């Protein structure tokens, strides 16, 4: 099933870059590295432990290109990502050789990104209608094919995708990379040169508590339990109040503005690709 182009007014255009999706960053990272092949690839080839802020910005820039960068930008970024991941090979925790382009692992990473806008609206906005979800999923399947996914790698309909997604999560549990991710969140370095390290120590504790609270609240409950993350009724009440506040604030922002920052980043990155000298001059 092919979806309409991602242009103004379509579901992917409206929802993918919603600024509230930033609150899902921790959850989606945990779900991705819960897959053993992804966990091994991140362990062996990612620099997120040493420089998580830059890694996060690069990921956001990449996503903005293939959603908001137009067809040419999306194709360029898809080719770049596949060439990059082709080099990521190694041995996983069970001693089996892996490739980052393993079709099932590659599809799972895309699947988690497909789910982010749907979960964002479910937790922090107004849930998508059935017709919006259908259009959105068709568009994201088209993006997946640009990224090199095969027709059989993602289910053809949204209800089948939801079953696939739930079945995948049912097979996940703790692993070393998830533990390292939690420790990285706790010990993340000061991202601002102008901020004294003594002040960052206090902010670091706050950001850790905040990130872990939102992460625990948005993870599927069964996986949260398997990871040993405590969640009480009091936590749920606090999270419901937090969600209500985010939903109220987000509702004050016009729909077209909720994704405007990510759309601008997408267009800027397409311009940088067309002007590599400027990109290198700015440290790209």
């Amino acid at each position: 099933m092919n979806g309409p182009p991602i242009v103004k007014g379509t579901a992917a255009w409206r929802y993918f870059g919603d600024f509230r999706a930033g609150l899902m960053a921790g959850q989606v990272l945990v779900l991705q590295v819960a897959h053993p092949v992804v966990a091994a690839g991140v362990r062996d080839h990612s620099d997120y432990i040493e420089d998580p802020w830059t890694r996060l910005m690069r990921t956001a820039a990449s996503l903005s290109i293939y959603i908001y960068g137009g067809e040419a930008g999306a194709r360029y970024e898809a080719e770049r990502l596949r060439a990059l991941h082709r080099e990521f090979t190694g041995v996983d925790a069970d001693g089996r050789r892996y490739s980052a382009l393993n079709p099932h692992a590659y599809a799972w990473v895309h699947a988690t990104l497909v789910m982010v806008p749907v979960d964002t609206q479910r937790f922090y906005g107004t849930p998508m209608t059935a017709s919006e979800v259908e259009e959105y999923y068709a568009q994201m399947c088209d993006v997946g094919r640009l990224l090199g996914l095969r027709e059989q790698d993602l289910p053809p309909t949204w209800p089948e995708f939801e079953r696939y997604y739930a079945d995948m999560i049912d097979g996940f549990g703790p692993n070393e990379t998830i533990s390292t991710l939690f420790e990285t969140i706790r010990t993340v370095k000061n991202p601002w040169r102008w901020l004294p390290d003594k002040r960052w120590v206090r902010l670091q504790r706050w950001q850790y508590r905040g990130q872990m609270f939102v992460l625990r609240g948005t993870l599927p409950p069964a996986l949260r339990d398997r990871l040993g993350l405590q969640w009480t009724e009091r936590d749920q009440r606090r999270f419901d109040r937090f969600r209500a506040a985010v939903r109220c604030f987000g509702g004050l922002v016009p729909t077209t503005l909720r994704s405007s920052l990510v759309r601008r980043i997408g267009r800027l990155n397409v311009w940088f690709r067309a002007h590599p000298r400027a990109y290198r001059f700015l440290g790209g």
Side-chain angles (χ1 to χ4, degrees):
M1 176 175 61
N2 294 324
I6 301 176
V7 295
K8 184 176 182 179
T10 61
W13 187 94
R14 288 199 306 273
Y15 293 117
F16 196 89
D18 191 317
F19 67 91
R20 293 169 292 188
L23 293 168
M24 303 298 298
Q27 185 241 45
V28 74
L29 281 174
V30 170
L31 291 177
Q32 288 181 356
V33 300
H35 192 291
V37 173
V38 181
V42 168
R43 178 199 65 201
D44 295 341
H45 301 284
S46 176
D47 60 355
Y48 81 96
I49 295 175
E50 291 77 17
D51 193 0
W53 302 110
T54 300
R55 183 73 188 90
L56 181 62
M57 287 188 288
R58 285 204 302 265
T59 300
S62 179
L63 293 175
S64 70
I65 291 174
Y66 70 75
I67 298 298
Y68 297 112
E71 184 174 350
R75 290 189 182 280
Y76 177 93
E77 186 63 9
E79 291 172 3
R80 188 190 71 83
L81 286 174
R82 285 190 65 79
L84 177 67
H85 286 84
R86 197 172 290 119
E87 302 175 4
F88 295 167
T89 59
V91 179
D92 67 18
D94 295 324
R96 295 171 298 196
R97 294 200 60 80
Y98 73 82
S99 165
L101 292 181
N102 172 291
H104 300 293
Y106 201 61
W108 173 245
V109 170
H110 183 65
T112 61
L113 299 175
V114 169
M115 186 61 83
V116 167
V118 179
D119 276 348
T120 297
Q121 298 307 314
R122 178 167 62 90
F123 283 116
Y124 301 117
T126 301
M128 295 186 198
T129 65
S131 60
E132 286 177 327
V133 171
E134 182 179 355
E135 177 182 84
Y136 166 75
Y137 183 63
Q139 290 178 306
M140 293 306 293
C141 285
D142 290 343
V143 171
R145 284 188 282 271
L146 277 178
L147 289 169
L149 297 182
R150 305 166 301 181
E151 290 290 337
Q152 66 267 33
D153 288 332
L154 287 177
T157 66
W158 177 254
E160 291 173 291
F161 174 82
E162 287 186 300
R163 289 193 292 272
Y164 153 77
Y165 198 80
D167 289 344
M168 289 291 292
I169 291 173
D170 282 345
F172 294 151
N175 65 43
E176 180 185 352
T177 306
I178 293 177
S179 298
T180 302
L181 173 61
F182 292 160
E183 181 64 13
T184 301
I185 295 174
R186 187 183 70 82
T187 61
V188 64
K189 297 177 182 178
N190 185 349
W192 301 294
R193 294 180 181 178
W194 51 264
L195 182 68
D197 288 338
K198 290 183 178 179
R199 293 190 178 182
W200 172 247
V201 170
R202 178 176 293 182
L203 289 175
Q204 187 183 56
R205 289 197 297 267
W206 288 348
Q207 72 84 27
Y208 172 67
R209 292 172 184 171
Q211 282 207 58
M212 290 302 297
F213 175 71
V214 172
L215 190 155
R216 289 184 292 129
T218 54
L219 274 177
L223 179 59
R224 181 175 62 209
D225 292 343
R226 288 195 293 273
L227 296 179
L229 299 175
Q230 186 179 12
W231 190 252
T232 65
E233 291 183 3
R234 180 171 178 268
D235 289 330
Q236 186 62 53
R237 290 193 296 271
R238 291 173 58 210
F239 185 59
D240 288 342
R241 291 194 294 270
F242 174 72
R243 289 171 55 195
V246 174
R247 185 179 296 114
C248 180
F249 173 74
L252 298 176
V253 180
T255 303
T256 55
L257 292 182
R258 292 173 194 162
S259 60
S260 61
L261 176 60
V262 179
R263 295 201 308 272
R264 289 192 178 99
I265 291 173
R267 290 194 291 269
L268 179 62
N269 276 284
V270 170
W271 186 88
F272 276 140
R273 298 298 187 264
H275 300 82
R277 290 184 179 179
Y279 186 63
R280 287 193 296 269
F281 176 77
L282 294 174

